[in-house]
Amino acid sequence: MAEDKGPQAAPAQPAVSALDAGHKDWMNDVAFNYYGTQFATCGGDHEIHIWRQQNSSWQQTSTLRQHQQAVLRVVWAHPEYGNVIASCSLDKYVMIWEERVDPVEGAKWEQKAKLAESSTPVTDVAFVPHSLRLDALLLAAASEDGVVRFYLAHDVMNLTSWIAKTEIRIKAPAQGSHRPCISWSTARSLPPLIAIGTRRNPKESVQIWKFDPAGRNHELYHSMSDLEDVYDVAFAPSMGRSSLLLAVACARGSIRLFEISALPGEPTKTDVREVSMQRDTLSGPTENLQVTRVSWNVTGTILATSIAGLELPTGQHILWQPTTSGTWIPQTD
């Protein structure tokens, strides 16, 4: 008879630690590098903080202070181009930063470029995914006036020179602050696509554009209407899927998920259907709630959402996974 060893200890849970990001105002964004060994934060105090993992703990290694107003987004380029980040701000500028190693001073971050084409605040930035194999360091920057500009690094060995290659003007009413947000698709089975979410634009709340790398002919691939104001959009990593998943973060606590696929034999036409999600996650009134961010894990099988509002002063974060029937439900533990 097997020996009774008594109650067994529960499996160890992954350690979760909290960090004081050091910002003196709201923290607006956090982004990890490709390998997960560094991350950057940005906030309303005009600062960007760089953190590095050292001896199993996180240490702040740099503070970048060139923006003159709140920094809204920070993103990392693919490591093929070195340690490079881009940031955007209410001050209307996009800035490019690079970490260089000095033989005496060690690793040091430098501002390499300041892109000043926008006449309104720049609300989002996104490097083109390396998986699309466009063989270029290309950055999309969305401005409050509804223009998405595409910047090309003239020489990846010298990031001081960037070319404003082309732009997309979203379809929206001329008046109002549309505060666009953007996300690139990573799928190689379809042409390069960029999703643009907008506010105060109910007729075309989310627009998916086919990006022409030559910069000659960008086409509106599909648009979605009658959504609440859109605060964030995120394509799921394709991971070999024949279709795309697009998560949309909206006002009034609304999270929407769409599956997008090309029609068989007609690659220029799309079939778009909304994916079922459990809707009773939030209790109480949702009029003053906003889903502010949506983000995917590396396999596109878990969706993370962040919700803020008067009823949730400390915010709420929900992870979603699909059931065998295809309905996405919140994780309970």
Side-chain angles (χ1 to χ4, degrees):
M1 180 180 295
E3 180 183 355
D4 183 2
K5 297 183 179 179
Q8 299 297 304
Q13 297 296 316
V16 177
S17 59
L19 293 173
D20 180 355
H23 288 283
K24 297 178 285 292
D25 203 328
W26 290 104
M27 189 172 73
N28 291 323
D29 198 16
V30 57
F32 279 88
N33 70 351
Y34 181 85
Y35 298 111
T37 56
Q38 289 181 283
F39 69 86
T41 63
C42 63
D45 56 2
H46 314 173
E47 294 182 352
I48 301 167
H49 296 176
I50 307 295
W51 295 73
R52 182 185 294 273
Q53 192 172 30
Q54 297 176 344
N55 299 324
S56 73
S57 65
W58 291 97
Q59 303 294 327
Q60 183 181 339
T61 57
S62 298
T63 300
L64 313 181
R65 294 191 178 95
Q66 293 299 317
H67 282 291
Q68 300 304 308
Q69 294 189 46
V71 187
L72 302 180
R73 290 286 188 268
V74 59
V75 292
W76 295 78
H78 189 274
E80 175 182 334
Y81 303 105
N83 270 353
V84 177
I85 63 172
S87 58
C88 65
S89 168
L90 291 177
D91 64 11
K92 307 176 186 178
Y93 294 114
V94 174
M95 295 189 185
I96 309 296
W97 310 81
E98 184 178 23
E99 185 182 44
R100 305 300 294 267
V101 178
D102 184 273
V104 177
E105 299 182 8
K108 182 180 180 181
W109 284 87
E110 301 174 351
Q111 179 192 308
K112 305 301 292 186
K114 185 176 181 179
L115 311 179
E117 279 72 20
S118 177
S119 60
T120 59
V122 184
T123 55
D124 206 354
V125 285
F127 284 106
V128 66
H130 189 260
S131 60
L132 294 184
R133 300 296 182 188
L134 296 186
D135 297 323
L137 183 56
L138 186 73
L139 178 72
S143 298
E144 197 169 80
D145 57 3
V147 179
V148 180
R149 295 175 176 85
F150 299 90
Y151 295 95
L152 178 68
H154 183 261
D155 179 0
V156 296
M157 301 302 293
N158 179 11
L159 296 180
T160 59
S161 178
W162 291 73
I163 302 168
K165 185 176 177 66
T166 183
E167 65 182 34
I168 289 174
R169 293 186 175 270
I170 64 172
K171 296 181 179 294
Q175 303 299 321
S177 169
H178 303 299
R179 207 173 177 88
C181 49
I182 54 180
S183 177
W184 289 95
S185 160
T186 61
R188 298 178 64 184
S189 58
L190 293 169
L193 300 176
I194 186 168
I196 307 172
T198 62
R199 304 183 198 178
R200 301 176 182 86
N201 188 21
K203 291 186 178 180
E204 294 183 279
S205 310
V206 176
Q207 302 172 26
I208 301 175
W209 288 77
K210 184 168 67 172
F211 176 75
D212 176 13
R216 301 188 184 94
N217 187 26
H218 309 303
E219 297 179 12
L220 183 60
Y221 198 66
H222 187 81
S223 62
M224 303 170 189
S225 60
D226 299 324
L227 303 181
E228 302 287 351
D229 282 353
V230 176
Y231 284 77
D232 197 18
V233 289
F235 277 113
S238 59
M239 298 302 291
R241 291 190 188 96
S242 59
S243 59
L244 304 174
L245 282 177
L246 178 67
V248 182
C250 303
R252 296 179 181 270
S254 176
I255 305 161
R256 310 288 289 270
L257 187 58
F258 298 91
E259 183 178 34
I260 305 162
S261 56
L263 294 177
E266 298 183 84
T268 60
K269 297 182 179 180
T270 56
D271 175 51
V272 178
R273 70 176 186 89
E274 185 160 6
V275 178
S276 176
M277 299 187 75
Q278 185 173 313
R279 297 294 179 189
D280 58 355
T281 304
L282 297 174
S283 59
T286 60
E287 288 80 3
N288 296 315
L289 297 181
Q290 296 85 37
V291 184
T292 55
R293 296 302 301 269
V294 283
S295 180
W296 296 91
N297 69 339
V298 295
T299 57
T301 54
I302 298 177
L303 173 66
T305 58
S306 298
I307 304 167
L310 295 177
E311 290 84 359
L312 292 171
T314 60
Q316 182 177 3
H317 308 283
I318 302 174
L319 300 179
W320 303 76
Q321 281 187 302
T323 63
T324 54
S325 65
T327 299
W328 286 70
I329 62 173
Q331 292 187 22
T332 56
D333 52 23

